Amino acid sequence: MDVTRSGPLSRGAAVAASALLLASGFAGLVYEVVWMRELGLVLGNTARAAAATLAAFFLAFGAGSQVLGRRAVGWRRPLRAYGLLELATAAAAAVFLLSRGAVGAVDAAVFRTFGPAHPLGEVARLLAGSVPILPAAFCMGGTLPAIAGAFARDARALGRSGPILYLVNTVGAVLGALASGFALPSRIGYAATYGVALAISAAAGGAACLLDAVRPAAVPAAAVPPAPDPGPGRALLALAFLSGALTLALEVLATRAFAQVLQNSAHTYAVV
């Protein structure tokens, strides 16, 4: 039986969707820099805060990409799915902002119970600070697969458009890192900077849903049975695992090294 899917993106809609992806990358890195700063207040160390932020973010981001990305192929309206994920990201990120008081209370209780350097206390502080990151990062993990489905319906088309979409998202992330590390906090503060990111995510989600509503009517997709996917081999999985481990370790070490120069955790993390 054929599956009804949204019609193709027009050139103008494709440009608009790319702008949304740029905004998504911007907001995502603003979140990450502010998360790192807040974790630094709990853990009291830039390198530890960077490691905790990266670990929590990529754990949830990867899980979201796997869980939501595998389902993205069957979504009939991927642009609307992207918009809903952006709105969910904004909502989950707002919960992190509201959880700061609870994290501070947990930190104080841990200090009274275990003291300043007990291993169990360090683990408790790490969990208290990083758990609020997980829901927003999980939702972010599904945004790129969702919007990629609006541009490409098969592997060949995704091979052409996927790198461009990733580039656009990364450029937005670079701008977000620089803005949250250097430009915005000195003028409006970190709380307002985080609020700007929340507004951008919510606006991108709403705009994506609106853009989906004015797209061409749904058209039936060809009923071609999907080819079996053998998946990556064990050697490729091992190489990917090793690459990720080395890259993130290098990022934490670079953050530690730059902290000696910039002497500001948010600046350091943003530069790296």
Side-chain angles (χ1 to χ4, degrees), residues 135-154:
F138 181 87
C139 294
M140 275 192 268
T143 54
L144 188 59
I147 200 167
F151 281 84
R153 288 302 186 185
D154 55 59

PDB file of all heavy atoms in Angstrom, residues 135-154:
ATOM      1  N   PRO A 135      17.044  15.586  28.484  1.00  0.00           N
ATOM      2  CA  PRO A 135      15.849  15.662  27.623  1.00  0.00           C
ATOM      3  C   PRO A 135      16.018  16.595  26.422  1.00  0.00           C
ATOM      4  O   PRO A 135      15.625  16.247  25.303  1.00  0.00           O
ATOM      5  CB  PRO A 135      14.757  16.157  28.579  1.00  0.00           C
ATOM      6  CG  PRO A 135      15.229  15.771  29.938  1.00  0.00           C
ATOM      7  CD  PRO A 135      16.715  15.905  29.890  1.00  0.00           C
ATOM      8  N   ALA A 136      16.592  17.773  26.648  1.00  0.00           N
ATOM      9  CA  ALA A 136      16.762  18.713  25.535  1.00  0.00           C
ATOM     10  C   ALA A 136      17.739  18.165  24.502  1.00  0.00           C
ATOM     11  O   ALA A 136      17.501  18.269  23.285  1.00  0.00           O
ATOM     12  CB  ALA A 136      17.250  20.065  26.055  1.00  0.00           C
ATOM     13  N   ALA A 137      18.844  17.569  24.952  1.00  0.00           N
ATOM     14  CA  ALA A 137      19.817  17.013  24.015  1.00  0.00           C
ATOM     15  C   ALA A 137      19.224  15.844  23.234  1.00  0.00           C
ATOM     16  O   ALA A 137      19.525  15.662  22.049  1.00  0.00           O
ATOM     17  CB  ALA A 137      21.075  16.574  24.762  1.00  0.00           C
ATOM     18  N   PHE A 138      18.375  15.049  23.881  1.00  0.00           N
ATOM     19  CA  PHE A 138      17.718  13.936  23.195  1.00  0.00           C
ATOM     20  C   PHE A 138      16.848  14.452  22.047  1.00  0.00           C
ATOM     21  O   PHE A 138      16.884  13.918  20.932  1.00  0.00           O
ATOM     22  CB  PHE A 138      16.872  13.143  24.190  1.00  0.00           C
ATOM     23  CG  PHE A 138      16.171  11.952  23.596  1.00  0.00           C
ATOM     24  CD1 PHE A 138      16.811  10.726  23.511  1.00  0.00           C
ATOM     25  CD2 PHE A 138      14.880  12.057  23.113  1.00  0.00           C
ATOM     26  CE1 PHE A 138      16.175   9.623  22.952  1.00  0.00           C
ATOM     27  CE2 PHE A 138      14.227  10.965  22.557  1.00  0.00           C
ATOM     28  CZ  PHE A 138      14.878   9.744  22.482  1.00  0.00           C
ATOM     29  N   CYS A 139      16.069  15.475  22.315  1.00  0.00           N
ATOM     30  CA  CYS A 139      15.222  16.052  21.260  1.00  0.00           C
ATOM     31  C   CYS A 139      16.067  16.641  20.138  1.00  0.00           C
ATOM     32  O   CYS A 139      15.741  16.502  18.950  1.00  0.00           O
ATOM     33  CB  CYS A 139      14.306  17.125  21.843  1.00  0.00           C
ATOM     34  SG  CYS A 139      13.072  16.509  23.001  1.00  0.00           S
ATOM     35  N   MET A 140      17.166  17.307  20.491  1.00  0.00           N
ATOM     36  CA  MET A 140      18.042  17.878  19.463  1.00  0.00           C
ATOM     37  C   MET A 140      18.608  16.803  18.549  1.00  0.00           C
ATOM     38  O   MET A 140      18.832  17.045  17.354  1.00  0.00           O
ATOM     39  CB  MET A 140      19.184  18.651  20.122  1.00  0.00           C
ATOM     40  CG  MET A 140      18.843  20.084  20.471  1.00  0.00           C
ATOM     41  SD  MET A 140      20.322  21.020  20.914  1.00  0.00           S
ATOM     42  CE  MET A 140      20.324  20.774  22.680  1.00  0.00           C
ATOM     43  N   GLY A 141      18.846  15.610  19.101  1.00  0.00           N
ATOM     44  CA  GLY A 141      19.402  14.540  18.295  1.00  0.00           C
ATOM     45  C   GLY A 141      18.516  14.128  17.137  1.00  0.00           C
ATOM     46  O   GLY A 141      19.007  13.599  16.130  1.00  0.00           O
ATOM     47  N   GLY A 142      17.211  14.374  17.238  1.00  0.00           N
ATOM     48  CA  GLY A 142      16.299  13.995  16.172  1.00  0.00           C
ATOM     49  C   GLY A 142      16.017  15.081  15.163  1.00  0.00           C
ATOM     50  O   GLY A 142      15.367  14.820  14.133  1.00  0.00           O
ATOM     51  N   THR A 143      16.487  16.310  15.407  1.00  0.00           N
ATOM     52  CA  THR A 143      16.114  17.413  14.524  1.00  0.00           C
ATOM     53  C   THR A 143      16.743  17.308  13.141  1.00  0.00           C
ATOM     54  O   THR A 143      16.077  17.532  12.131  1.00  0.00           O
ATOM     55  CB  THR A 143      16.485  18.766  15.160  1.00  0.00           C
ATOM     56  OG1 THR A 143      17.882  18.755  15.513  1.00  0.00           O
ATOM     57  CG2 THR A 143      15.652  19.023  16.406  1.00  0.00           C
ATOM     58  N   LEU A 144      18.037  16.971  13.072  1.00  0.00           N
ATOM     59  CA  LEU A 144      18.696  16.894  11.768  1.00  0.00           C
ATOM     60  C   LEU A 144      18.140  15.752  10.925  1.00  0.00           C
ATOM     61  O   LEU A 144      17.855  15.957   9.728  1.00  0.00           O
ATOM     62  CB  LEU A 144      20.209  16.779  11.933  1.00  0.00           C
ATOM     63  CG  LEU A 144      21.026  16.873  10.642  1.00  0.00           C
ATOM     64  CD1 LEU A 144      20.765  18.205   9.932  1.00  0.00           C
ATOM     65  CD2 LEU A 144      22.515  16.713  10.916  1.00  0.00           C
ATOM     66  N   PRO A 145      17.957  14.532  11.463  1.00  0.00           N
ATOM     67  CA  PRO A 145      17.316  13.492  10.643  1.00  0.00           C
ATOM     68  C   PRO A 145      15.917  13.879  10.177  1.00  0.00           C
ATOM     69  O   PRO A 145      15.517  13.550   9.053  1.00  0.00           O
ATOM     70  CB  PRO A 145      17.260  12.281  11.585  1.00  0.00           C
ATOM     71  CG  PRO A 145      18.354  12.507  12.560  1.00  0.00           C
ATOM     72  CD  PRO A 145      18.412  13.990  12.755  1.00  0.00           C
ATOM     73  N   ALA A 146      15.175  14.607  11.027  1.00  0.00           N
ATOM     74  CA  ALA A 146      13.812  14.988  10.648  1.00  0.00           C
ATOM     75  C   ALA A 146      13.812  15.955   9.471  1.00  0.00           C
ATOM     76  O   ALA A 146      13.107  15.751   8.480  1.00  0.00           O
ATOM     77  CB  ALA A 146      13.087  15.601  11.851  1.00  0.00           C
ATOM     78  N   ILE A 147      14.601  17.004   9.578  1.00  0.00           N
ATOM     79  CA  ILE A 147      14.575  17.995   8.500  1.00  0.00           C
ATOM     80  C   ILE A 147      15.255  17.454   7.242  1.00  0.00           C
ATOM     81  O   ILE A 147      14.913  17.851   6.124  1.00  0.00           O
ATOM     82  CB  ILE A 147      15.223  19.322   8.959  1.00  0.00           C
ATOM     83  CG1 ILE A 147      14.752  20.477   8.058  1.00  0.00           C
ATOM     84  CG2 ILE A 147      16.738  19.232   8.952  1.00  0.00           C
ATOM     85  CD1 ILE A 147      15.083  21.849   8.602  1.00  0.00           C
ATOM     86  N   ALA A 148      16.196  16.518   7.405  1.00  0.00           N
ATOM     87  CA  ALA A 148      16.807  15.900   6.235  1.00  0.00           C
ATOM     88  C   ALA A 148      15.764  15.136   5.428  1.00  0.00           C
ATOM     89  O   ALA A 148      15.837  15.087   4.196  1.00  0.00           O
ATOM     90  CB  ALA A 148      17.940  14.964   6.656  1.00  0.00           C
ATOM     91  N   GLY A 149      14.764  14.576   6.125  1.00  0.00           N
ATOM     92  CA  GLY A 149      13.709  13.864   5.424  1.00  0.00           C
ATOM     93  C   GLY A 149      12.850  14.766   4.562  1.00  0.00           C
ATOM     94  O   GLY A 149      12.200  14.301   3.611  1.00  0.00           O
ATOM     95  N   ALA A 150      12.814  16.059   4.886  1.00  0.00           N
ATOM     96  CA  ALA A 150      12.059  17.001   4.060  1.00  0.00           C
ATOM     97  C   ALA A 150      12.809  17.355   2.780  1.00  0.00           C
ATOM     98  O   ALA A 150      12.204  17.790   1.796  1.00  0.00           O
ATOM     99  CB  ALA A 150      11.767  18.275   4.856  1.00  0.00           C
ATOM    100  N   PHE A 151      14.136  17.188   2.790  1.00  0.00           N
ATOM    101  CA  PHE A 151      14.942  17.505   1.616  1.00  0.00           C
ATOM    102  C   PHE A 151      15.203  16.285   0.746  1.00  0.00           C
ATOM    103  O   PHE A 151      15.397  16.412  -0.464  1.00  0.00           O
ATOM    104  CB  PHE A 151      16.294  18.077   2.062  1.00  0.00           C
ATOM    105  CG  PHE A 151      16.244  19.514   2.478  1.00  0.00           C
ATOM    106  CD1 PHE A 151      15.867  19.864   3.763  1.00  0.00           C
ATOM    107  CD2 PHE A 151      16.574  20.531   1.596  1.00  0.00           C
ATOM    108  CE1 PHE A 151      15.824  21.187   4.165  1.00  0.00           C
ATOM    109  CE2 PHE A 151      16.536  21.854   1.981  1.00  0.00           C
ATOM    110  CZ  PHE A 151      16.149  22.190   3.275  1.00  0.00           C
ATOM    111  N   ALA A 152      15.251  15.111   1.346  1.00  0.00           N
ATOM    112  CA  ALA A 152      15.651  13.916   0.603  1.00  0.00           C
ATOM    113  C   ALA A 152      14.769  12.742   0.995  1.00  0.00           C
ATOM    114  O   ALA A 152      14.508  12.530   2.179  1.00  0.00           O
ATOM    115  CB  ALA A 152      17.112  13.584   0.891  1.00  0.00           C
ATOM    116  N   ARG A 153      14.331  11.982   0.001  1.00  0.00           N
ATOM    117  CA  ARG A 153      13.486  10.821   0.233  1.00  0.00           C
ATOM    118  C   ARG A 153      14.208   9.501  -0.012  1.00  0.00           C
ATOM    119  O   ARG A 153      13.631   8.446   0.169  1.00  0.00           O
ATOM    120  CB  ARG A 153      12.246  10.889  -0.675  1.00  0.00           C
ATOM    121  CG  ARG A 153      11.249  11.949  -0.254  1.00  0.00           C
ATOM    122  CD  ARG A 153      10.791  11.723   1.162  1.00  0.00           C
ATOM    123  NE  ARG A 153       9.735  12.636   1.545  1.00  0.00           N
ATOM    124  CZ  ARG A 153       9.220  12.715   2.757  1.00  0.00           C
ATOM    125  NH1 ARG A 153       9.683  11.922   3.702  1.00  0.00           N
ATOM    126  NH2 ARG A 153       8.270  13.578   3.028  1.00  0.00           N
ATOM    127  N   ASP A 154      15.466   9.566  -0.452  1.00  0.00           N
ATOM    128  CA  ASP A 154      16.208   8.325  -0.661  1.00  0.00           C
ATOM    129  C   ASP A 154      17.665   8.579  -0.321  1.00  0.00           C
ATOM    130  O   ASP A 154      18.098   9.716  -0.115  1.00  0.00           O
ATOM    131  CB  ASP A 154      16.061   7.823  -2.101  1.00  0.00           C
ATOM    132  CG  ASP A 154      16.467   8.872  -3.133  1.00  0.00           C
ATOM    133  OD1 ASP A 154      17.630   9.318  -3.095  1.00  0.00           O
ATOM    134  OD2 ASP A 154      15.620   9.245  -3.965  1.00  0.00           O
TER     135      ASP A 154
END
